[in-house]
């Protein structure tokens, strides 16, 4: 299965080089989408010899993911693995995604961090539990950790998705629309490295975006 990793980034100059070096050990294609960073994230990534797609302005994580998805389809990859650029996801777990994808008919394989949450911040844990419950209800299939950005999406899913969001709600939109198109979503246990990074999610603004997304999907499909 010809697979590429895409990494949406915004001001990740402190960690992006180490993440890319670890990914090189997996012998997998890598694309970094730099979302208008004010630091030298893009230059550091380019120096590591990977493809870098630059947004001239900060367009949002979802917009960066969509640019990456379009690149995957244009270059003829069979699947994409999405990873966050802050070092939370472990590259050594990529073979587990690839193995599961080869043996599963599921269109999406999503990481599940909820089996070991002792280091997960309390607010993030509560948010993940609620969002996973709600999205599972809408998708009509059990997805234990819908907020995990470490996931594999097969080409046939990307080809059918018509995404309308551009921010953090895009990852939820992918799951809901894929499920409503009839694709199975499988989960895979992963570990996540939590440090002192500050979440860029705005609880009020991004909750409103998610509510608008839900109404839009339910009223138009």
């Amino acid at each position: 299965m010809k697979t590429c990793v895409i990494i949406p980034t915004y001001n990740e100059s402190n960690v992006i080089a180490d993440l890319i070096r670890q990914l090189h050990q997996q012998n997998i294609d890598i694309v970094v989408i730099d979302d208008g960073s004010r630091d030298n994230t893009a230059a550091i990534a380019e120096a590591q010899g990977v493809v870098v797609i630059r947004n001239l302005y900060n367009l949002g994580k979802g917009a960066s993911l969509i640019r990456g998805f379009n690149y995957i389809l244009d270059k003829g990859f069979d699947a994409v693995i999405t990873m966050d650029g802050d070092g939370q996801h472990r590259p050594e777990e990529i073979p587990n995604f690839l193995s599961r994808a080869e043996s599963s008919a599921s269109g999406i394989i999503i990481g599940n961090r909820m089996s070991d949450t002792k280091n997960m911040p309390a607010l993030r844990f509560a948010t993940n539990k609620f969002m996973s419950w709600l999205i599972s209800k809408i998708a009509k299939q059990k997805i234990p950790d819908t907020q995990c950005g470490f996931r594999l999406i097969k080409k046939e899913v990307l080809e059918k998705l018509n995404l309308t969001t551009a921010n953090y709600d895009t990852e939820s939109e992918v799951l809901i629309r894929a499920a409503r198109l009839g694709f199975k979503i499988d989960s895979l246990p992963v570990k996540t490295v939590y440090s002192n990074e500050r979440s860029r999610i705005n609880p009020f603004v991004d909750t409103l975006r998610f509510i608008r997304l839900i109404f839009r999907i339910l009223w138009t499909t």
Side-chain angles (χ1 to χ4, degrees):
M1 180 177 289
K2 184 181 177 185
T3 308
C4 181
V5 171
I6 63 171
I7 310 169
T9 60
Y10 181 66
N11 295 338
E12 301 291 1
S13 60
N14 291 333
V15 296
I16 191 63
D18 185 58
L19 175 58
I20 292 172
R21 282 192 290 266
Q22 292 181 60
L23 285 168
H24 279 317
Q25 296 175 18
Q26 301 299 322
N27 193 29
I28 192 168
D29 289 276
I30 307 164
V31 176
V32 170
I33 302 94
D34 181 69
D35 194 21
S37 293
R38 296 190 299 272
D39 61 11
N40 57 345
T41 297
I44 291 173
E46 287 174 340
Q48 294 294 317
V50 303
V51 174
V52 176
I53 300 172
R54 298 191 189 215
N55 295 336
L56 294 179
Y57 307 98
N58 183 240
L59 302 177
K61 184 180 184 181
S64 295
L65 286 170
I66 291 169
R67 289 199 71 182
F69 295 158
N70 290 336
Y71 176 91
I72 297 308
L73 293 175
D74 183 60
K75 298 299 181 181
F77 286 94
D78 299 310
V80 62
I81 291 177
T82 63
M83 298 182 70
D84 292 347
D86 57 6
Q88 282 197 30
H89 302 145
R90 298 184 174 188
E92 62 266 27
E93 294 186 309
I94 285 177
N96 299 333
F97 281 88
L98 297 175
S99 177
R100 179 67 65 86
E102 292 281 3
S103 63
S104 171
S106 298
I108 298 176
I109 315 293
I110 184 169
N112 176 17
R113 303 161 294 176
M114 304 307 285
S115 60
D116 182 10
T117 59
K118 61 180 180 295
N119 295 320
M120 183 179 287
L123 179 59
R124 187 172 298 183
F125 173 81
T127 300
N128 285 358
K129 292 291 286 186
F130 173 74
M131 293 293 287
S132 297
W133 171 81
L134 179 58
I135 293 174
S136 293
K137 288 291 186 183
I138 297 170
K140 297 182 179 179
Q141 51 185 300
K142 178 67 174 177
I143 312 171
D145 187 5
T146 60
Q147 304 308 290
C148 185
F150 198 6
R151 51 181 73 176
L152 181 148
I153 309 172
K154 294 180 180 178
K155 175 182 67 175
E156 51 265 35
V157 178
L158 297 177
E159 289 174 333
K160 293 186 177 181
L161 287 179
N162 181 22
L163 300 173
T164 61
T165 54
N167 292 282
Y168 289 100
D169 47 351
T170 299
E171 290 171 314
S172 296
E173 184 183 14
V174 167
L175 299 177
I176 294 170
R177 291 197 183 277
R180 293 173 77 85
L181 287 167
F183 290 103
K184 177 74 170 61
I185 299 168
D186 199 1
S187 294
L188 183 73
V190 298
K191 294 182 179 180
T192 302
V193 180
Y194 290 104
S195 55
N196 294 322
E197 75 278 349
R198 180 186 176 192
S199 175
R200 296 192 178 97
I201 295 176
N202 183 310
F204 178 73
V205 173
D206 287 295
T207 297
L208 287 180
R209 285 173 176 151
F210 179 74
I211 292 171
R212 286 201 302 268
L213 166 66
I214 296 303
F215 276 101
R216 190 160 60 245
I217 290 176
L218 293 180
W219 258 255
T220 60
T221 59

